[in-house]
């Protein structure tokens, strides 16, 4: 039996659109649509299935289709959109199996209509059943097609709304995160209309200064009254620089008055974000961050640095930090003002390398200086040294260094230490040493005592007829090489070793002394040239054949010796000494490791 579907479809459209306008849930809208079509034909049962991504059908809306039959359709797989076109259903394998299944539920498949989606494709399809077997009229098919279009609109509308809701949720979420971040960073936001000079502040901005949301006006001029008078010029200059395109953004730190009259330090940043049609800036937005606490902390830090600097500058001498990099680069990472007195240079001169200092160290002390520093680095042992410097203004001066090394993660070594002026102490020490009789290093008579003993011997010769005495000057050969090759400490051991040889070789009536760095002298009482030569040969042989052991090293040295005898008519001790010295000079000249006798 036929029905006037064309009149009916108009009512259905309106009803469906009314549902959409009301924002009714999708399924409710679709069921109302289905009811509207069914109510005009009692034999018709409409059902709407969505096609899933896995090519299955899923029931979305029906009023009268038996649930068990719906579940069976839900399991069916559809192979393509073309099968959904109603008139072709006879040709479709899907519909022939659907028709067989419908019969088991006492129903007859009448027709179907795809639910269009965009230009091509479908959301799914309407399937129409009849309770009695009958022909589907064109008008009926038209009504089903029309319902399919309306369903498509309802589904698209629903999808669009869902997308908008999702975007709104994401935006709200972002806004919440942004608000939390701004709150947590003690930051307020401002927005300035450059042409009207109105500024709007966020509530957080106002709260930062202790104001409630309605307490601050939006006049630019009023904002200037809150800026500390001493900072106003720099704030305006920073703003102008940005307006004049001299800066990418407006950035300034200044003080601002709070509601209670106190001042806070703030960091204000902003940027022009809009221009009017003629290109003039029209809007600027920015942030204001409370940096009072950070400023206070940095001021405290600066005070501490000042305190440490003035303390180190007050300490007499040079307080310093010295760095030795794994690649050998060395420099003073810190040097107090004392460097001007200790080395007569500026800290900057040694901030990158220490050449300026190396040049000032006395050449004789430089090897000791470098050896001891190296040893401190290798053993990570405290560095202590007394050494001489030759300064442009002060001349020869004594310095003492004391420093502690520490190894850093990158392999560098860092010393913290100080260098003091010990010139006066050294002067007294040297003076006192003059009064002493024993040489500290070798523990044999020193030069002063040796000359005194020589004087006594000369007096004896001048007093006693036929009395004799021989004078030997001994100088170790190439001693500088020993120092250079094995270090100063090894050189000291060699000096001590030779002193022991001399002490063991001399009698009570003889005197052996250290008269210079590596120079030794001997007075042999009651001895002439022949006895002196035998003595000289003995000690020369001993030193040449008994090595000094330094660790695994055996250091061999030789000695050159000059011999002369004292004369009763010598005016002083210098006479015999200088004759022996000339003979020694000859021995050196003739190739070293030799004994030469003065012929005078
Ligand atoms: N280890 C050590 N070396 C010293 C001491 N006093 C002086 N010297 C060093 O002795 C060396 C003497 O060197 P030179 O005068 O050039 O003589 P040399 O190398 O022995 O050469 P010749 O005498 O010509 O064979 C210098 O390098 C001094 O630094 C000391 O107390 N200990």
């Amino acid at each position: 039996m036929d029905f006037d579907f064309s009149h009916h479809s108009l009512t259905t459209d309106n009803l469906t659109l009314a549902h959409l306008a009301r924002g009714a849930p999708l399924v409710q809208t679709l069921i109302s649509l289905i009811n509207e079509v069914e109510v005009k034909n009692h034999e018709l049962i409409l059902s709407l299935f969505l096609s899933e991504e896995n090519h299955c059908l899923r029931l979305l809306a029906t009023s009268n289709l038996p649930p068990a039959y719906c579940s069976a359709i839900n399991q069916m797989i559809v192979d393509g959109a073309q099968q959904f076109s109603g008139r072709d259903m006879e040709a479709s394998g899907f519909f022939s199996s659907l028709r067989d299944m419908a019969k088991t539920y006492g129903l007859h498949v009448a027709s179907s209509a795809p639910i269009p989606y965009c230009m091509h494709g479908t959301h799914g399809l309407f399937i129409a059943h009849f309770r009695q077997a009958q022909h589907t009229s064109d008008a009926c098919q038209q009504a089903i097609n029309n319902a399919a279009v309306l369903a498509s609109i309802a589904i698209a509308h629903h999808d669009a709304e869902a997308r908008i809701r999702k975007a709104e949720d994401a935006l709200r979420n972002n806004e919440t995160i942004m608000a939390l971040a701004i709150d947590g960073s003690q930051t307020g936001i401002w927005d300035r209309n450059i042409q009207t000079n109105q500024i709007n502040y966020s509530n957080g901005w106002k709260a930062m200064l202790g104001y409630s949301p309605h307490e601050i006006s939006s006049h630019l001029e009023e904002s200037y009254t809150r800026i500390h008078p001493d900072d106003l010029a720099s704030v305006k200059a920073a703003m102008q620089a940005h307006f004049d395109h001299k800066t990418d953004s407006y950035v300034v730190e200044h003080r601002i008055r709070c509601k209670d009259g106190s001042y806070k330090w703030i960091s204000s940043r902003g940027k022009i974000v809009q221009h009017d049609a003629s290109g003039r800036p029209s809007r600027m937005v920015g942030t204001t961050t409370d940096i009072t606490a950070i400023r206070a902390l940095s001021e405290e830090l600066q005070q501490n640095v000042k305190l440490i600097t003035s303390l180190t500058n007050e300490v007499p001498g040079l307080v310093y930090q010295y760095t030795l990099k794994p690649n050998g680069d060395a420099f003073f990472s810190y040097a107090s003002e004392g460097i001007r007195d200790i080395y007569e240079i500026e800290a900057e001169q040694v901030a990158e390398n220490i050449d300026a200092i190396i040049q000032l160290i006395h050449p004789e002390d430089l090897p000791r200086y470098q050896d001891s520093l190296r040893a401190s680095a290798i053993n990570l042992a405290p560095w202590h040294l007394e050494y001489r410097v030759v300064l442009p203004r002060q001349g020869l001066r004594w310095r003492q260094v004391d420093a502690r090394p520490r190894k850093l993660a990158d392999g560098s070594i860092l010393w913290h230490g100080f260098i003091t002026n010990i010139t006066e102490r050294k002067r007294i020490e040297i003076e006192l040493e003059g009064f002493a009789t024993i040489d500290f290093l070798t523990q044999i008579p020193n030069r002063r005592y040796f000359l005194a003993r020589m004087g006594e011997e000369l007096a004896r010769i001048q007093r006693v007829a036929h009395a004799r005495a021989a004078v030997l000057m001994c100088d170790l050969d190439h001693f500088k090489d020993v120092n250079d090759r094995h270090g100063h400490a090894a050189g000291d051991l060699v000096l001590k070793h030779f002193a022991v040889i001399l002490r063991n070789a001399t009698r009570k009536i003889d005197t052996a002394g250290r008269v210079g760095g590596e120079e030794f002298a001997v007075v042999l009482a009651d001895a002439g040239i022949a006895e002196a030569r035998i003595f000289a040969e003995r000690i020369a042989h001993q030193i040449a054949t008994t090595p000094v052991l330094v660790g695994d090293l055996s250091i061999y040295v030789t000695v050159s010796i000059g011999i002369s005898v004292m004369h009763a008519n010598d005016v002083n001790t210098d006479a015999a000494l200088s004759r022996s010295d000339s003979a020694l000079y000859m021995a050196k000249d003739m190739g070293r490791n030799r004994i030469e006798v003065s012929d005078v």
Side-chain angles (χ1 to χ4, degrees), residues 441 475-480 483 488 491-492 495 514 517-518 588 592:
L441 177 70
D475 187 296
L476 297 174
D477 296 328
H478 301 301
F479 185 62
K480 187 171 175 304
N483 277 340
H488 205 84
D492 281 355
L495 293 175
R514 184 180 177 206
E518 71 336 349
K588 288 274 180 191
R592 295 178 176 75

Side-chain angles (χ1 to χ4, degrees), residues 538-558:
R538 196 161 69 239
I539 58 171
H541 176 73
Q542 269 184 35
I543 186 77
T545 52
T546 51
V548 174
L549 305 177
V550 180
D552 296 341
L553 262 180
S554 299
I555 303 174
Y556 286 90
V557 285
T558 58

